[in-house]
Amino acid sequence: MSVSLAVEKREVRPRSLRNKLRHEGKVPAIINGYQVESTPVAVSAAELEKILRDHGANTVITMDVDGKKVNTLIKETQADTFTRTLTHVEFLSVNMSEETEVEAEILLVGESVGAKSGGVVAQNLYSVVVSATPDKLPERIEVDITDLAIGDALTVADLPKVDDYTIVTDGEEQIVAIMEPQAEEAADEEAGEAAQPEVIGEKEAE
């Protein structure tokens, strides 16, 4: 699946032009990659944010650059520290017939039987690297934890194989474990003790 996004070429200097674009509701961006020279552009902030909200960061975004249809993926984004509004985006032009690697979010679904009996769900991995042609890239991978009891765990190797994409992340990486409550509390206590600073040079009270 792909979505369309209008772009317009922009000048890169002076730098004040970037601020002008942002005041106009546009995001400075750049396109590079497959069969495309590095091209500075500007895109509508509202339209791009809607694409990200509705389709996710791994969707193919089709643009018209100098009359040429270009299929892209979002390679990198920069955002304002406080407002979280986008300040710059790098688009990667891709060959739709070649595989590429991206990160896909891991989403735990279901309530485990272990949690129902008092266990604690500990998620240790929140994304995996996947490889696929751009049109088959998943935004997220759902992991059903319903049948996990206390003491059970799932690793990347336990994820079901699918035809659309290949998981690149090491299969031994643990995704989630159902821990006994006391084990979780002991881990928290150890972490708290380790976090206490050591006072150097402090003398004992006489």
Side-chain angles (χ1 to χ4, degrees):
M1 177 183 178
S2 66
V3 295
S4 298
L5 178 65
V7 301
E8 60 183 61
K9 282 193 169 183
R10 65 177 175 88
E11 300 294 330
V12 295
R13 287 184 172 77
R15 292 182 63 85
S16 58
L17 287 175
R18 290 191 178 190
N19 291 330
K20 181 175 182 294
L21 286 171
R22 294 179 185 122
H23 285 306
E24 295 173 350
K26 299 173 183 176
V27 181
I30 192 165
I31 307 171
N32 52 49
Y34 177 69
Q35 294 185 343
V36 172
E37 294 184 2
S38 183
T39 307
V41 297
V43 300
S44 165
E47 289 183 18
L48 180 56
E49 287 170 359
K50 185 177 188 303
I51 288 173
L52 292 173
R53 184 171 60 252
D54 295 346
H55 304 283
N58 290 343
T59 193
V60 176
I61 300 176
T62 303
M63 306 173 177
D64 188 310
V65 181
D66 291 334
K68 177 182 178 182
K69 179 180 176 181
V70 178
N71 295 308
T72 71
L73 293 171
I74 294 178
K75 182 178 181 181
E76 183 178 351
T77 61
Q78 297 175 15
D80 183 274
T81 305
F82 300 103
T83 66
R84 304 311 302 165
T85 55
L86 293 173
T87 58
H88 190 269
V89 181
E90 182 178 353
F91 293 99
L92 177 68
S93 174
V94 292
N95 182 342
M96 295 297 289
S97 63
E98 290 185 359
E99 292 194 358
T100 187
E101 293 184 2
V102 300
E103 286 193 357
E105 176 191 5
I106 291 176
L107 180 64
L108 303 184
V109 295
E111 183 180 4
S112 74
V113 294
K116 289 180 180 179
S117 60
V120 178
V121 178
Q123 185 172 356
N124 303 305
L125 194 65
Y126 291 86
S127 66
V128 290
V129 176
V130 299
S131 176
T133 53
D135 60 320
K136 299 290 182 64
L137 291 171
E139 180 63 25
R140 62 182 57 86
I141 296 174
E142 294 188 351
V143 178
D144 189 353
I145 62 172
T146 305
D147 294 332
L148 295 186
I150 293 176
D152 289 344
L154 287 176
T155 66
V156 171
D158 295 319
L159 294 176
K161 302 295 187 295
V162 295
D163 294 332
D164 286 349
Y165 58 84
T166 301
I167 297 177
V168 180
T169 300
D170 189 338
E172 294 185 0
E173 290 276 352
Q174 187 181 87
I175 297 172
V176 61
I178 310 301
M179 302 173 62
E180 296 183 3
Q182 59 267 30
E184 177 74 6
E185 292 169 3
D188 289 342
E189 290 177 3
E190 290 179 3
E193 292 174 0
Q196 293 182 1
E198 178 183 355
V199 180
I200 300 176
E202 183 179 10
K203 297 181 179 179
E204 293 183 3
E206 297 180 355

